[in-house]
Amino acid sequence: MRLADPTAPVTTTASGRRLRGLDTLRGVAIALVILFHVQLHFGAPGVVGKLALLGYNGVQLFFIVSGITMCYMWAQRRKESRETTKFLIRRICRIAPPFWFAILFYMAWRHTGLTNLAPAGALDVALTALLLHGFSANAINLVVPGGWSIAVEAMFYVLFPLMVMRLTTAAQRLWAAFIVYLVCTVAACLLKREFAVDETVIYYSLLTQLPIFVVAMALYTVLFSGKPAPVKTALVIGIAWGAIAWLGRSMGWPTRPGLWAEIVLMLGFAAAMLQRHEWRPLAFLGRISYSAYLFHFAVIDLLALCLPQSGGLATFALGLAGTLVGTIAVAWLSSRTLEAWAVDLGRSLVARLDASSRGAVRG
């Protein structure tokens, strides 16, 4: 069976315009994530450490790229039959098989003595395998380190076809993002007040992250629809969004004004990168970023055996360099095996769906 190449870059929009920098953005995102987790383990002091902690935004940059990519893929295939079913097959096959392997890997990794991952029960593993761990406060980030973001992605895939078909203009998508933010904020406040759900769990959940995807969909439309950007709408929504976020924070609500200020900066960065720049080293890292995300935690665990925690700037630099080298090696191998097989599985299932449809028509 011929293996698909999951590193093949997306190159053009439906209108023929090149999506330059998409892989570079993924490379920046995974570099930020790795920087953040290396800092948590090896603790660079001072300004370097504070800057490294900002790397947590790498996950949100991934979500922005995902929203843009989904719009691109939908536009490319908007005329095919059973588009929603095929979209879900392709996307779930893209993320699920490598993630299932990661579940098995980290369950075994717990028994090596090389990690301090908390024990995971059978229900936690089952929910994670079904990509439903985002609905469990206990399982959401337990079985696979960083697995909360995979739960968010999977839930977005389910919601995306409905949103992309109903929301066709940038203004509609901006208003939808704002409404989603309001609804999710109310739900998050209720969970925090009535059920004492931890704020970290709320941050990990779709309640915090979903508006990012919808705003990214609006950005795609602004950049590639050929229509004027809805500047006034964006200003009105931006001011209202910021005011609610700051007011909510003063009242103890999980409205996260700092996060949304960072999201605005990342949207601007993404827009600039998509239209102008592509840097090959980061683009290469971006093409193996999914496997890098799944397995860089284990690389850090191994390095922690020989490097002290909070050992100063030199230790942090060694930890960062070692994590990057080890992660790139593991992720490259995984991208050529696990990811390639997963992509081919999606293509095979779509081909079978087409064949069954043709057979039904002939029958």
Side-chain angles (χ1 to χ4, degrees), residues 16-357:
R17 294 180 63 184
R18 180 174 168 78
L19 277 178
R20 296 184 60 85
L22 197 62
D23 287 324
T24 302
L25 281 172
R26 292 191 184 98
V28 172
I30 189 59
L32 288 172
V33 169
I34 290 173
L35 185 67
F36 175 71
H37 289 128
V38 168
Q39 171 62 14
L40 291 183
H41 279 73
F42 301 116
V47 175
V48 173
K50 292 179 180 178
L51 290 175
L53 287 176
L54 294 176
Y56 81 94
N57 284 306
V59 177
Q60 281 71 44
L61 185 55
F62 270 127
F63 292 159
I64 290 171
V65 173
S66 181
I68 293 169
T69 303
M70 295 306 100
C71 290
Y72 162 79
M73 292 174 61
W74 191 268
Q76 291 293 99
R77 300 187 172 108
R78 65 187 184 277
K79 294 182 181 180
E80 71 177 357
S81 62
R82 305 176 75 171
E83 55 189 0
T84 297
T85 302
K86 292 178 182 177
F87 169 84
L88 292 173
I89 288 173
R90 291 185 182 106
R91 296 319 302 165
I92 296 302
C93 285
R94 176 68 179 86
I95 67 167
F99 188 59
W100 290 333
F101 180 86
I103 292 172
L104 297 175
F105 173 82
Y106 282 108
M107 290 303 293
W109 194 243
R110 284 171 164 82
H111 297 286
T112 64
L114 299 174
T115 183
N116 58 2
L117 290 175
L123 179 59
D124 300 317
V125 173
L127 289 172
T128 304
L130 293 171
L131 302 176
L132 297 175
H133 52 299
F135 296 104
S136 168
N138 189 61
I140 192 169
N141 198 45
L142 178 63
V143 179
V144 176
W148 66 271
S149 66
I150 311 303
V152 169
E153 279 277 345
M155 286 185 277
F156 171 63
Y157 293 160
V158 174
L159 295 172
F160 175 79
L162 177 62
M163 291 190 293
V164 77
M165 287 189 288
R166 296 298 180 91
L167 307 170
T168 57
T169 68
Q172 288 175 342
R173 291 175 178 181
L174 285 172
W175 280 115
F178 183 54
I179 293 169
V180 166
Y181 172 66
L182 294 178
V183 172
C184 288
T185 297
V186 171
C189 290
L190 290 174
L191 286 175
K192 183 179 178 182
R193 187 183 68 184
E194 302 296 331
F195 300 97
V197 175
D198 186 83
E199 197 159 322
T200 300
V201 173
I202 292 174
Y203 169 79
Y204 286 156
S205 74
L206 199 67
L207 295 177
T208 297
Q209 308 299 331
L210 180 58
I212 300 173
F213 291 98
V214 189
V215 171
M217 292 171 63
L219 178 62
Y220 175 89
T221 307
V222 168
L223 293 177
F224 301 111
S225 69
K227 299 177 181 178
V231 177
K232 292 182 180 179
T233 300
L235 286 174
V236 169
I237 292 174
I239 292 171
W241 197 316
I244 291 170
W246 283 105
L247 178 62
R249 181 184 181 184
S250 68
M251 300 175 68
W253 299 346
T255 49
R256 306 183 188 278
L259 173 66
W260 297 111
E262 292 160 353
I263 294 298
V264 170
L265 294 176
M266 284 189 283
L267 288 167
F269 175 67
M273 292 295 294
L274 281 172
Q275 297 192 95
R276 294 185 179 87
H277 299 291
E278 187 172 74
W279 193 43
R280 288 185 178 180
L282 278 174
F284 167 75
L285 187 59
R287 288 191 285 272
I288 60 173
S289 59
Y290 183 42
S291 289
Y293 182 82
L294 291 176
F295 299 115
H296 76 278
F297 300 95
V299 176
I300 292 175
D301 284 339
L302 289 174
L303 288 170
L305 296 175
C306 54
L307 293 175
Q309 286 192 340
S310 303
L313 193 58
T315 299
F316 171 79
L318 288 172
L320 181 59
T323 302
L324 284 172
V325 171
T327 298
I328 288 171
V330 172
W332 181 85
L333 178 61
S334 175
S335 71
R336 295 290 173 174
T337 53
L338 291 173
E339 290 191 61
W341 294 333
V343 171
D344 261 359
L345 174 63
R347 290 177 176 173
S348 175
L349 292 176
V350 168
R352 291 183 183 183
L353 186 64
D354 283 335
S356 64
S357 297

